[in-house]
Amino acid sequence: QVQLVESGGGLVQAGGSLRLSCAGSGIFSINHMGWYRQAPGKQRDMVARIRSGGSTDYADSVKGRFIISGDNAKNAVYLQMNNLKPEDTAVYYCNFQGRRTRTSWLVDYWGEGTQITVSS
């Protein structure tokens, strides 16, 4: 069974920093890892993604402020969030796209989410 465990959420003042971590277990191979967020009443959107080769994508709203990194050996992904703004307030979800076994389908796996609240 694939399990993703997130940590690092919380409350921070505008301009502050937080670091999210996500560790995956039970997964055979990973295509990419990433972070998504969902604010109340809004859809879940990609924040940042890192592919197995190391290339990254960022939402325009976080470019220059957030940095995604990964550790393939540990099946872990991190999100360093700097200069946080109130509009960054949301539930943040870890995402792995991968295979549970060598012959499994490529599937999106999700963490349970962690709340980030940025006060003004």
Side-chain angles (χ1 to χ4, degrees):
Q1 183 178 354
V2 176
Q3 190 173 20
L4 305 185
V5 179
E6 300 143 335
S7 61
L11 173 66
V12 65
Q13 288 188 331
S17 298
L18 282 174
R19 178 179 167 87
L20 298 180
S21 300
C22 176
S25 60
I27 193 163
F28 173 76
S29 65
I30 298 171
N31 190 39
H32 61 246
M33 302 182 286
W35 293 92
Y36 287 67
R37 67 186 181 188
Q38 187 168 19
K42 295 189 176 181
Q43 67 180 21
R44 188 177 299 187
D45 292 324
M46 188 199 76
V47 175
R49 180 173 57 197
I50 183 166
R51 298 181 183 83
S52 57
S55 61
T56 57
D57 298 307
Y58 292 94
D60 287 343
S61 59
V62 306
K63 284 181 180 177
R65 299 189 297 123
F66 291 11
I67 301 171
I68 189 170
S69 59
D71 187 333
N72 291 332
K74 295 181 178 180
N75 284 350
V77 64
Y78 310 97
L79 186 67
Q80 178 65 43
M81 303 182 291
N82 301 319
N83 190 22
L84 282 159
K85 303 176 180 180
E87 51 263 43
D88 294 319
T89 295
V91 177
Y92 284 69
Y93 296 90
C94 173
N95 166 262
F96 281 22
Q97 187 187 78
R99 303 178 192 277
R100 187 175 58 82
T101 69
R102 186 184 299 274
T103 57
S104 298
W105 292 105
L106 199 61
V107 173
D108 278 305
Y109 297 97
W110 296 92
E112 293 186 350
T114 184
Q115 177 71 46
I116 301 290
T117 302
V118 184
S119 63
S120 57

